[in-house]
Amino acid sequence: MKPLNMPESRILIRKAAVLGAGVMGAQIAAHLANAGVPALLFDLPAKEGDPNGIAQKAIENLKKLEPSPLAAKDRAAGITPANYDQHLALLAGCDLVIEAISERMDWKQALYEKVAPHIGAQAIFASNTSGLSINALAQACPAHLRPRFCGVHFFNPPRYMHLVELIAQHAAEPLLLDQLETFLTTALGKGVVRAKDTPNFVANRVGVFSMLATMAHTERFGLGFDVVDALTGPAIGRARSATYRTSDVVGLDTMAHVIRTMDEALPDDPWHKYYQAPVWLKALIDKGALGQKTKAGFFRKVGKEIEVLDRATQTYRASAGAIDPEIAAILALPAPAEQFARLRAHAHPQAQFLWAIFRDLFHYCAFHLATIADNARDVDLAIRWGFGWKMGPFETWQAAGWRLVAEWIAEDVAAGKALAAVALPEWVTAGPAAAGVHTPAGAYSPATNTFHPRSKLPVYARQYFPDPVLGEKPQVGTTILETDAVRMWHTGDDIAIVSFKTKQHTIRSDVLDGLLAAIAEAEAVQAGEWDTLEAVVAKFQQTSQRLRYSLIPTVAAVRGMALGGACEFIMHCDRAVAALESYIGLVEAGVGLLPAGAGCKELALRGAQEAARGSVGGQLDLFPFLRTSFQQVALATVAKSGLDARNLGYLRPADIVIFNSYELLWVAKAQVRALSEAAYRPPLPLSGIAVAGKTGIATLEMMLVNMRDGGFISAHDFEVGLRIARVLCGGEVESGSLVDEKWLLDLERREFMALLKNPRTQERIAHTHKTGKPLRN
């Protein structure tokens, strides 16, 4: 029976299993555990020792990888190792089973025959294949399991890559696919693209072709691999790893396998002759240079120097590829139409190369759109989410001028310059899409010759601002109050949202003014230079306190970096809702300061509250809590995820971590509404805060002395640390003394100003401002 109020598109995934403890399988299990889904990680039984040794080793390796697949180290406890000989019966208790073994059809089919009898009657069974036929794989499943079998292709690394391709097969239940899409979107935070069951699906089909076309034109125009990577990275809105560095990261053997899949499965494709690994790629694979995992591929690192393979000599040389200044000037032009016109007309090989790779990509995508995806939006989002491009191929084409670029492509095809001698599909120049594939009504679908709107699945109602594509009408909400620093707005209801407009959301005086004005607006509905600076600090503290004690509920919605003052604001809101990939911390010590937006005060207060909850017979032991807070502030510790921020105490147990950042405002507003409907009143100011006083300061000072004398911190680090200790311990008072928040705020502000006046702190601030790097002086 469906639980009350549970939408039809929801499914309860209480427990999952991942078959295959390789790189992808282990990291998929890690991300399930990140989301609070207990996961069994299966592999073959080890030949010696613990039968679960292979899976157990994979779990241990997860703790060592950087960037970490685990959002918090303790999430590894959510993964249980298992093996196929002893634990198949455990599959019966899993609601989701994901197969992630090597890309061999025969191996996968044999595994399906082994596990199928043990999979629960209501479980979803999915393959993480990157390109094998889902319909062919389904034939290895017994008839009763086929309606619950599909493809679910995660991109590597699963925690960080937004894209998941969902692939149906003929017998799959539509409701099951909707339920799985909902789970992937909300619980795991993914952007789901429905792909057709064609070789390599959408992202790899288009992305790998783009790389193959780039390789073909690398040779045609005689460019070095380093020059090509300079041209095909951020300069044209693509990932920093560009083309050949991406191949190294993926693994050249993996690249060759994907290319071979296209070669074998697409014999009639007009571009088939390019579905071959170039000679120089084969040569690298033959000698075991497989890229990053073998420390050599197209590039290698020797000491601190990066070397690149020379295509002509097959030896490595210093990497020094650069974009010609004239071509760089063209790429810097603001209008895409002018960029493309100039590149096509320019005689320089780099310009001709760039026009050629775009031309052949556009040609390929238009020709194959009907067979690989439902509409143009799915192709663009798949490439953006799976390969890190700022704009997808159809968006880029349309921005450059759809009709004119189509004419240029047709001219080059007729002249034999394109990689394939086939005409553009008729829909490109005639019919509804003759002016472009993206419109406010939706994205063009050749199958229906109409524009398809976004999915109407209920889960997408949670995204106020989904990742937009070109041509969609942006939603901006209704402005209530706006300054150069902040904007207060709403989405059509009675909940106000305040957004910072400053670069990297830095806290300036005008931000504080704007935030105070916004709180006042919501409540209404419901001496010398050092003196000036101290007044700004006092205003900062006042703003934090207003967030805590305002007559309206305040909820912080956090996505990305929230350092220093932003972290202090979060700590003072009634609730915080943070996206998983939120990096929160008090980092002021790095520039020789201490948190003075009421952050130190808040840590002292929280320490006293925690000690009171754990007191025995009225005896408080403040030091364990203060030591932890002291270490985090003094070392400028930044949480590596929203979950880690909760473990570190920047977020409270009641604060929420969500996995899909596009749902952030939905969940944050729900928290505001819940607090408001509970007849919200602010907490009462605390006047009896127990502090550690002189005893606590002396203990922390002893720690600092040992670190200084051992050469672990500098003399100024010692000074900064000692002032942090004084604030956290409530100053030079007797241990156990009771103070109020004003006492702590005044102390915090005095110690901050003392550090700000210190020449060494000023040196640190100037150095960091100039270089972006910390100075240890």
Side-chain angles (χ1 to χ4, degrees), residues 306-511:
I306 302 296
E307 296 184 341
V308 63
L309 184 73
D310 187 282
R311 194 163 41 81
T313 65
Q314 288 292 295
T315 59
Y316 288 93
R317 58 170 174 79
S319 178
I323 303 175
D324 181 86
E326 287 189 30
I327 310 307
I330 293 173
L331 295 177
L333 292 170
E338 188 176 359
Q339 288 181 18
F340 276 85
R342 292 200 182 189
L343 288 173
R344 187 169 186 264
H346 204 292
H348 195 287
Q350 290 186 11
Q352 289 299 299
F353 165 83
L354 286 172
W355 161 247
I357 64 171
F358 277 111
R359 173 201 64 213
D360 290 312
L361 174 64
F362 298 159
H363 188 194
Y364 187 87
C365 289
F367 187 88
H368 286 298
L369 175 58
T371 59
I372 66 173
D374 178 67
N375 60 72
R377 179 180 53 248
D378 285 351
V379 172
D380 283 340
L381 290 179
I383 290 297
R384 280 164 45 179
W385 294 342
F387 281 78
W389 295 10
K390 288 186 177 179
M391 294 180 73
F394 287 117
E395 289 179 290
T396 306
W397 179 353
Q398 188 164 323
W402 184 267
R403 287 190 175 95
L404 183 57
V405 171
E407 291 175 10
W408 291 343
I409 295 171
E411 289 174 12
D412 282 10
V413 170
K417 295 180 180 180
L419 293 182
V422 291
L424 285 167
E426 185 178 352
W427 63 260
V428 172
T429 53
V437 292
H438 293 301
T439 72
Y444 182 70
S445 171
T448 62
N449 199 33
T450 60
F451 293 93
H452 285 201
R454 293 223 179 210
S455 170
K456 299 299 183 184
L457 271 181
V459 68
Y460 293 114
R462 298 167 61 87
Q463 299 184 13
Y464 287 110
F465 304 99
D467 201 355
V469 294
L470 186 76
E472 288 185 324
K473 186 177 180 180
Q475 300 181 32
V476 295
T478 301
T479 299
I480 303 169
L481 175 151
E482 186 165 14
T483 71
D484 290 339
V486 301
R487 176 176 177 245
M488 183 182 186
W489 53 285
H490 66 83
T491 60
D493 53 25
D494 58 353
I495 296 176
I497 302 165
V498 179
S499 304
F500 294 174
K501 295 166 62 177
T502 52
K503 186 177 181 180
Q504 296 184 337
H505 300 153
T506 52
I507 307 299
R508 306 185 316 218
S509 181
D510 51 355
V511 171

Side-chain angles (χ1 to χ4, degrees), residues 283-304:
L284 285 170
I285 294 171
D286 288 344
K287 64 182 181 183
L290 304 180
Q292 183 172 275
K293 58 189 171 186
T294 60
K295 303 190 185 305
F298 290 109
F299 295 90
R300 72 178 184 184
K301 191 172 184 180
V302 179
K304 294 185 178 180

Side-chain angles (χ1 to χ4, degrees), residues 19 40 248 267 280 307 388 459 470 576 590 649:
L19 310 180
L40 294 166
D248 278 351
W280 25 270
E307 296 184 341
V459 68
L470 186 76

Side-chain angles (χ1 to χ4, degrees), residues 66-216:
E66 289 293 341
S68 177
L70 298 163
K73 289 182 180 180
D74 60 1
R75 292 285 153 153
I79 310 172
T80 302
N83 68 81
Y84 300 123
D85 282 3
Q86 296 176 307
H87 303 120
L88 288 180
L90 297 177
L91 291 174
C94 297
D95 303 299
L96 174 64
V97 179
I98 300 174
E99 169 269 306
I101 68 170
S102 297
E103 291 290 272
R104 283 272 302 267
M105 180 70 77
D106 55 340
W107 289 1
K108 290 179 186 287
Q109 290 173 333
L111 179 61
Y112 294 2
E113 291 175 4
K114 178 181 288 190
V115 302
H118 303 278
I119 294 176
Q122 302 301 319
I124 297 174
F125 184 33
S127 174
N128 185 58
T129 178
S130 60
L132 296 179
S133 170
I134 297 301
N135 281 290
L137 288 170
Q139 297 308 304
C141 298
H144 75 273
L145 186 55
R146 286 176 199 162
R148 292 178 283 117
F149 178 76
C150 62
V152 54
H153 179 213
F154 289 83
F155 273 63
N156 191 24
R159 171 183 166 185
Y160 299 97
M161 296 302 291
H162 192 55
L163 177 64
V164 169
E165 292 175 315
L166 183 58
I167 311 101
Q169 44 87 20
H170 299 319
E173 293 179 0
L175 177 58
L176 173 142
L177 296 172
D178 290 348
Q179 291 173 330
L180 185 54
E181 181 170 352
T182 297
F183 171 77
L184 292 167
T185 300
T186 285
L188 298 189
K190 297 304 172 188
V192 177
V193 167
R194 296 281 186 109
K196 296 185 178 181
D197 188 21
T198 56
N200 290 345
F201 311 131
V202 179
N204 277 344
R205 177 72 176 274
V206 173
V208 172
F209 169 77
S210 177
M211 296 176 78
L212 289 171
T214 299
M215 290 178 180

